[in-house]
PDB file of all heavy atoms in Angstrom:
ATOM      1  N   SER R  53     227.497 -57.741-105.255  1.00  0.00           N
ATOM      2  CA  SER R  53     226.702 -58.913-105.725  1.00  0.00           C
ATOM      3  C   SER R  53     225.334 -58.742-104.983  1.00  0.00           C
ATOM      4  O   SER R  53     225.356 -58.567-103.732  1.00  0.00           O
ATOM      5  CB  SER R  53     227.464 -60.079-105.355  1.00  0.00           C
ATOM      6  OG  SER R  53     226.645 -61.144-105.208  1.00  0.00           O
ATOM      7  N   ARG R 140     234.172 -78.419-134.675  1.00  0.00           N
ATOM      8  CA  ARG R 140     233.573 -79.528-133.776  1.00  0.00           C
ATOM      9  C   ARG R 140     232.611 -78.993-132.778  1.00  0.00           C
ATOM     10  O   ARG R 140     231.731 -79.715-132.377  1.00  0.00           O
ATOM     11  CB  ARG R 140     234.790 -80.202-133.057  1.00  0.00           C
ATOM     12  CG  ARG R 140     235.822 -81.064-133.968  1.00  0.00           C
ATOM     13  CD  ARG R 140     236.186 -82.153-133.133  1.00  0.00           C
ATOM     14  NE  ARG R 140     236.836 -82.031-131.809  1.00  0.00           N
ATOM     15  CZ  ARG R 140     237.958 -82.007-131.510  1.00  0.00           C
ATOM     16  NH1 ARG R 140     238.977 -82.307-132.343  1.00  0.00           N
ATOM     17  NH2 ARG R 140     238.422 -81.887-130.190  1.00  0.00           N
ATOM     18  N   ARG R 156     231.252 -68.242-124.415  1.00  0.00           N
ATOM     19  CA  ARG R 156     231.559 -67.634-125.757  1.00  0.00           C
ATOM     20  C   ARG R 156     230.380 -67.924-126.743  1.00  0.00           C
ATOM     21  O   ARG R 156     230.194 -67.079-127.570  1.00  0.00           O
ATOM     22  CB  ARG R 156     232.900 -68.380-126.219  1.00  0.00           C
ATOM     23  CG  ARG R 156     234.074 -67.725-125.454  1.00  0.00           C
ATOM     24  CD  ARG R 156     235.478 -68.362-125.881  1.00  0.00           C
ATOM     25  NE  ARG R 156     235.660 -69.650-125.263  1.00  0.00           N
ATOM     26  CZ  ARG R 156     236.382 -70.626-125.826  1.00  0.00           C
ATOM     27  NH1 ARG R 156     236.877 -70.464-127.113  1.00  0.00           N
ATOM     28  NH2 ARG R 156     236.620 -71.708-125.159  1.00  0.00           N
ATOM     29  N   GLY R 178     235.217 -66.412-116.119  1.00  0.00           N
ATOM     30  CA  GLY R 178     235.753 -67.563-116.432  1.00  0.00           C
ATOM     31  C   GLY R 178     236.538 -67.565-117.883  1.00  0.00           C
ATOM     32  O   GLY R 178     236.845 -68.697-118.321  1.00  0.00           O
ATOM     33  N   GLU R 182     242.713 -62.772-122.594  1.00  0.00           N
ATOM     34  CA  GLU R 182     242.819 -62.508-124.033  1.00  0.00           C
ATOM     35  C   GLU R 182     241.357 -62.605-124.617  1.00  0.00           C
ATOM     36  O   GLU R 182     240.925 -61.733-125.408  1.00  0.00           O
ATOM     37  CB  GLU R 182     243.616 -63.461-124.769  1.00  0.00           C
ATOM     38  CG  GLU R 182     245.167 -63.254-124.812  1.00  0.00           C
ATOM     39  CD  GLU R 182     245.736 -63.801-123.518  1.00  0.00           C
ATOM     40  OE1 GLU R 182     244.886 -64.458-122.712  1.00  0.00           O
ATOM     41  OE2 GLU R 182     246.894 -63.652-123.293  1.00  0.00           O
ATOM     42  N   ASP R 209     238.532 -54.309-113.867  1.00  0.00           N
ATOM     43  CA  ASP R 209     239.770 -53.783-114.526  1.00  0.00           C
ATOM     44  C   ASP R 209     239.748 -53.974-116.061  1.00  0.00           C
ATOM     45  O   ASP R 209     240.345 -53.165-116.652  1.00  0.00           O
ATOM     46  CB  ASP R 209     240.904 -54.676-113.999  1.00  0.00           C
ATOM     47  CG  ASP R 209     240.609 -56.210-113.997  1.00  0.00           C
ATOM     48  OD1 ASP R 209     239.525 -56.559-114.023  1.00  0.00           O
ATOM     49  OD2 ASP R 209     241.588 -57.017-114.265  1.00  0.00           O
ATOM     50  N   PHE R 212     237.635 -51.036-117.473  1.00  0.00           N
ATOM     51  CA  PHE R 212     238.410 -49.873-117.627  1.00  0.00           C
ATOM     52  C   PHE R 212     238.975 -49.611-119.105  1.00  0.00           C
ATOM     53  O   PHE R 212     239.159 -48.534-119.499  1.00  0.00           O
ATOM     54  CB  PHE R 212     239.645 -49.867-116.728  1.00  0.00           C
ATOM     55  CG  PHE R 212     239.331 -49.754-115.256  1.00  0.00           C
ATOM     56  CD1 PHE R 212     240.423 -50.026-114.250  1.00  0.00           C
ATOM     57  CD2 PHE R 212     238.085 -49.414-114.849  1.00  0.00           C
ATOM     58  CE1 PHE R 212     240.154 -49.848-112.878  1.00  0.00           C
ATOM     59  CE2 PHE R 212     237.699 -49.253-113.441  1.00  0.00           C
ATOM     60  CZ  PHE R 212     238.816 -49.507-112.530  1.00  0.00           C
ATOM     61  N   PRO R 255     242.506 -57.837-106.517  1.00  0.00           N
ATOM     62  CA  PRO R 255     243.669 -58.750-106.209  1.00  0.00           C
ATOM     63  C   PRO R 255     244.975 -57.974-106.683  1.00  0.00           C
ATOM     64  O   PRO R 255     246.016 -58.216-106.029  1.00  0.00           O
ATOM     65  CB  PRO R 255     243.481 -60.030-106.757  1.00  0.00           C
ATOM     66  CG  PRO R 255     242.243 -59.825-107.755  1.00  0.00           C
ATOM     67  CD  PRO R 255     241.491 -58.605-107.295  1.00  0.00           C
ATOM     68  N   GLN R 256     244.951 -57.324-107.786  1.00  0.00           N
ATOM     69  CA  GLN R 256     246.167 -56.675-108.288  1.00  0.00           C
ATOM     70  C   GLN R 256     246.463 -55.361-107.558  1.00  0.00           C
ATOM     71  O   GLN R 256     247.476 -54.715-107.918  1.00  0.00           O
ATOM     72  CB  GLN R 256     246.165 -56.559-109.781  1.00  0.00           C
ATOM     73  CG  GLN R 256     245.070 -55.740-110.398  1.00  0.00           C
ATOM     74  CD  GLN R 256     243.846 -56.571-110.699  1.00  0.00           C
ATOM     75  OE1 GLN R 256     243.408 -57.378-109.796  1.00  0.00           O
ATOM     76  NE2 GLN R 256     243.138 -56.266-111.698  1.00  0.00           N
ATOM     77  N   LYS R 257     245.509 -54.884-106.709  1.00  0.00           N
ATOM     78  CA  LYS R 257     245.790 -53.745-105.900  1.00  0.00           C
ATOM     79  C   LYS R 257     246.126 -54.223-104.471  1.00  0.00           C
ATOM     80  O   LYS R 257     247.017 -54.996-104.407  1.00  0.00           O
ATOM     81  CB  LYS R 257     244.552 -52.778-105.986  1.00  0.00           C
ATOM     82  CG  LYS R 257     244.272 -52.151-107.290  1.00  0.00           C
ATOM     83  CD  LYS R 257     245.481 -51.274-107.863  1.00  0.00           C
ATOM     84  CE  LYS R 257     245.658 -50.014-106.988  1.00  0.00           C
ATOM     85  NZ  LYS R 257     246.792 -49.196-107.357  1.00  0.00           N
ATOM     86  N   PHE R 259     244.052 -55.940-102.434  1.00  0.00           N
ATOM     87  CA  PHE R 259     243.351 -57.208-101.986  1.00  0.00           C
ATOM     88  C   PHE R 259     242.785 -57.151-100.584  1.00  0.00           C
ATOM     89  O   PHE R 259     242.774 -57.938 -99.802  1.00  0.00           O
ATOM     90  CB  PHE R 259     244.204 -58.395-102.129  1.00  0.00           C
ATOM     91  CG  PHE R 259     243.437 -59.698-102.292  1.00  0.00           C
ATOM     92  CD1 PHE R 259     242.430 -59.929-103.189  1.00  0.00           C
ATOM     93  CD2 PHE R 259     243.995 -60.804-101.539  1.00  0.00           C
ATOM     94  CE1 PHE R 259     241.855 -61.104-103.145  1.00  0.00           C
ATOM     95  CE2 PHE R 259     243.329 -62.108-101.529  1.00  0.00           C
ATOM     96  CZ  PHE R 259     242.280 -62.224-102.434  1.00  0.00           C
ATOM     97  N   GLY R 264     231.941 -56.155 -93.621  1.00  0.00           N
ATOM     98  CA  GLY R 264     230.535 -56.074 -93.658  1.00  0.00           C
ATOM     99  C   GLY R 264     229.962 -56.479 -95.090  1.00  0.00           C
ATOM    100  O   GLY R 264     230.696 -56.789 -95.924  1.00  0.00           O
TER     101      GLY R 264
ATOM    102  N   SER P  39     240.722 -72.191-121.844  1.00  0.00           N
ATOM    103  CA  SER P  39     239.282 -72.706-121.922  1.00  0.00           C
ATOM    104  C   SER P  39     239.119 -73.956-122.683  1.00  0.00           C
ATOM    105  O   SER P  39     239.747 -73.949-123.756  1.00  0.00           O
ATOM    106  CB  SER P  39     238.426 -71.478-122.414  1.00  0.00           C
ATOM    107  OG  SER P  39     237.038 -71.892-122.593  1.00  0.00           O
ATOM    108  N   ASP P 156     231.402 -59.712-106.628  1.00  0.00           N
ATOM    109  CA  ASP P 156     232.066 -58.403-106.691  1.00  0.00           C
ATOM    110  C   ASP P 156     233.453 -58.431-106.030  1.00  0.00           C
ATOM    111  O   ASP P 156     233.629 -59.365-105.205  1.00  0.00           O
ATOM    112  CB  ASP P 156     231.238 -57.382-106.027  1.00  0.00           C
ATOM    113  CG  ASP P 156     231.071 -57.480-104.636  1.00  0.00           C
ATOM    114  OD1 ASP P 156     231.917 -57.175-103.817  1.00  0.00           O
ATOM    115  OD2 ASP P 156     230.137 -58.101-104.228  1.00  0.00           O
ATOM    116  N   GLN P 162     236.899 -60.892 -99.462  1.00  0.00           N
ATOM    117  CA  GLN P 162     236.378 -61.391 -98.234  1.00  0.00           C
ATOM    118  C   GLN P 162     236.403 -62.915 -98.176  1.00  0.00           C
ATOM    119  O   GLN P 162     236.927 -63.492 -97.179  1.00  0.00           O
ATOM    120  CB  GLN P 162     234.935 -60.882 -97.930  1.00  0.00           C
ATOM    121  CG  GLN P 162     234.887 -59.409 -97.468  1.00  0.00           C
ATOM    122  CD  GLN P 162     233.520 -58.909 -97.289  1.00  0.00           C
ATOM    123  OE1 GLN P 162     232.434 -59.590 -97.799  1.00  0.00           O
ATOM    124  NE2 GLN P 162     233.222 -57.925 -96.515  1.00  0.00           N
ATOM    125  N   HIS P 165     239.926 -64.520 -98.197  1.00  0.00           N
ATOM    126  CA  HIS P 165     240.559 -64.323 -96.912  1.00  0.00           C
ATOM    127  C   HIS P 165     239.984 -65.364 -95.988  1.00  0.00           C
ATOM    128  O   HIS P 165     240.822 -65.995 -95.228  1.00  0.00           O
ATOM    129  CB  HIS P 165     240.379 -62.920 -96.431  1.00  0.00           C
ATOM    130  CG  HIS P 165     241.352 -61.931 -97.018  1.00  0.00           C
ATOM    131  ND1 HIS P 165     242.699 -61.946 -97.067  1.00  0.00           N
ATOM    132  CD2 HIS P 165     241.089 -60.884 -97.930  1.00  0.00           C
ATOM    133  CE1 HIS P 165     243.186 -61.003 -97.738  1.00  0.00           C
ATOM    134  NE2 HIS P 165     242.284 -60.275 -98.293  1.00  0.00           N
ATOM    135  N   HIS P 183     241.279 -68.160-114.003  1.00  0.00           N
ATOM    136  CA  HIS P 183     242.075 -67.534-115.024  1.00  0.00           C
ATOM    137  C   HIS P 183     242.598 -66.274-114.683  1.00  0.00           C
ATOM    138  O   HIS P 183     243.191 -65.511-115.437  1.00  0.00           O
ATOM    139  CB  HIS P 183     240.969 -67.167-116.219  1.00  0.00           C
ATOM    140  CG  HIS P 183     240.603 -68.385-116.864  1.00  0.00           C
ATOM    141  ND1 HIS P 183     239.347 -68.924-116.881  1.00  0.00           N
ATOM    142  CD2 HIS P 183     241.235 -69.037-117.835  1.00  0.00           C
ATOM    143  CE1 HIS P 183     239.338 -69.988-117.672  1.00  0.00           C
ATOM    144  NE2 HIS P 183     240.452 -70.133-118.341  1.00  0.00           N
ATOM    145  N   ARG P 190     247.706 -64.296-105.289  1.00  0.00           N
ATOM    146  CA  ARG P 190     247.366 -63.921-103.831  1.00  0.00           C
ATOM    147  C   ARG P 190     247.046 -65.132-102.926  1.00  0.00           C
ATOM    148  O   ARG P 190     247.387 -65.171-101.764  1.00  0.00           O
ATOM    149  CB  ARG P 190     246.147 -62.926-103.906  1.00  0.00           C
ATOM    150  CG  ARG P 190     246.419 -61.664-104.414  1.00  0.00           C
ATOM    151  CD  ARG P 190     247.135 -60.755-103.373  1.00  0.00           C
ATOM    152  NE  ARG P 190     247.126 -59.399-103.822  1.00  0.00           N
ATOM    153  CZ  ARG P 190     247.790 -58.423-103.121  1.00  0.00           C
ATOM    154  NH1 ARG P 190     248.301 -58.768-101.940  1.00  0.00           N
ATOM    155  NH2 ARG P 190     247.819 -57.168-103.553  1.00  0.00           N
ATOM    156  N   THR P 208     239.774 -78.934-128.678  1.00  0.00           N
ATOM    157  CA  THR P 208     238.853 -78.016-129.280  1.00  0.00           C
ATOM    158  C   THR P 208     239.304 -76.587-128.884  1.00  0.00           C
ATOM    159  O   THR P 208     238.394 -75.786-129.085  1.00  0.00           O
ATOM    160  CB  THR P 208     237.331 -78.347-129.046  1.00  0.00           C
ATOM    161  OG1 THR P 208     237.310 -78.462-127.531  1.00  0.00           O
ATOM    162  CG2 THR P 208     237.034 -79.567-129.545  1.00  0.00           C
ATOM    163  N   HIS P 213     247.435 -68.249-124.193  1.00  0.00           N
ATOM    164  CA  HIS P 213     247.859 -68.352-122.830  1.00  0.00           C
ATOM    165  C   HIS P 213     247.363 -67.318-121.896  1.00  0.00           C
ATOM    166  O   HIS P 213     247.164 -66.201-122.257  1.00  0.00           O
ATOM    167  CB  HIS P 213     249.352 -68.659-122.735  1.00  0.00           C
ATOM    168  CG  HIS P 213     249.754 -69.882-123.285  1.00  0.00           C
ATOM    169  ND1 HIS P 213     249.638 -71.036-122.541  1.00  0.00           N
ATOM    170  CD2 HIS P 213     250.158 -70.276-124.406  1.00  0.00           C
ATOM    171  CE1 HIS P 213     250.024 -72.049-123.362  1.00  0.00           C
ATOM    172  NE2 HIS P 213     250.338 -71.656-124.462  1.00  0.00           N
ATOM    173  N   HIS P 217     245.750 -60.954-115.119  1.00  0.00           N
ATOM    174  CA  HIS P 217     244.364 -60.329-115.390  1.00  0.00           C
ATOM    175  C   HIS P 217     244.319 -58.921-114.990  1.00  0.00           C
ATOM    176  O   HIS P 217     243.866 -58.457-113.887  1.00  0.00           O
ATOM    177  CB  HIS P 217     243.323 -61.238-114.494  1.00  0.00           C
ATOM    178  CG  HIS P 217     242.034 -61.121-114.799  1.00  0.00           C
ATOM    179  ND1 HIS P 217     241.049 -60.194-114.245  1.00  0.00           N
ATOM    180  CD2 HIS P 217     241.254 -61.779-115.751  1.00  0.00           C
ATOM    181  CE1 HIS P 217     240.010 -60.394-114.814  1.00  0.00           C
ATOM    182  NE2 HIS P 217     240.018 -61.289-115.772  1.00  0.00           N
ATOM    183  N   GLU P 220     249.025 -53.814-112.328  1.00  0.00           N
ATOM    184  CA  GLU P 220     249.258 -52.585-111.432  1.00  0.00           C
ATOM    185  C   GLU P 220     248.934 -51.394-112.375  1.00  0.00           C
ATOM    186  O   GLU P 220     248.481 -50.343-111.889  1.00  0.00           O
ATOM    187  CB  GLU P 220     250.603 -52.617-110.954  1.00  0.00           C
ATOM    188  CG  GLU P 220     250.950 -51.840-109.629  1.00  0.00           C
ATOM    189  CD  GLU P 220     250.013 -52.128-108.510  1.00  0.00           C
ATOM    190  OE1 GLU P 220     249.758 -53.338-108.286  1.00  0.00           O
ATOM    191  OE2 GLU P 220     249.535 -51.201-107.912  1.00  0.00           O
ATOM    192  N   VAL P 223     245.103 -49.760-112.841  1.00  0.00           N
ATOM    193  CA  VAL P 223     244.392 -49.093-111.811  1.00  0.00           C
ATOM    194  C   VAL P 223     245.342 -48.577-110.737  1.00  0.00           C
ATOM    195  O   VAL P 223     246.283 -49.141-110.432  1.00  0.00           O
ATOM    196  CB  VAL P 223     243.455 -50.111-110.999  1.00  0.00           C
ATOM    197  CG1 VAL P 223     242.033 -49.998-111.429  1.00  0.00           C
ATOM    198  CG2 VAL P 223     243.920 -51.540-111.046  1.00  0.00           C
ATOM    199  N   HIS P 224     245.078 -47.415-110.396  1.00  0.00           N
ATOM    200  CA  HIS P 224     245.922 -46.800-109.445  1.00  0.00           C
ATOM    201  C   HIS P 224     245.180 -46.278-108.168  1.00  0.00           C
ATOM    202  O   HIS P 224     244.043 -46.162-108.145  1.00  0.00           O
ATOM    203  CB  HIS P 224     246.583 -45.525-109.990  1.00  0.00           C
ATOM    204  CG  HIS P 224     247.536 -45.923-111.046  1.00  0.00           C
ATOM    205  ND1 HIS P 224     248.819 -46.395-110.849  1.00  0.00           N
ATOM    206  CD2 HIS P 224     247.397 -45.897-112.443  1.00  0.00           C
ATOM    207  CE1 HIS P 224     249.287 -46.685-112.037  1.00  0.00           C
ATOM    208  NE2 HIS P 224     248.482 -46.367-113.001  1.00  0.00           N
TER     209      HIS P 224
END
Side-chain angles (χ1 to χ4, degrees):
Chain R
S53 160
R140 289 216 315 249
R156 284 178 278 153
E182 285 81 359
D209 51 331
F212 289 172
Q256 60 273 39
K257 297 295 297 176
F259 200 46
Chain P
S39 171
D156 65 82
Q162 284 176 337
H165 285 294
H183 284 107
R190 289 284 190 180
T208 53
H213 289 283
H217 197 265
E220 206 52 47
V223 260
H224 294 279

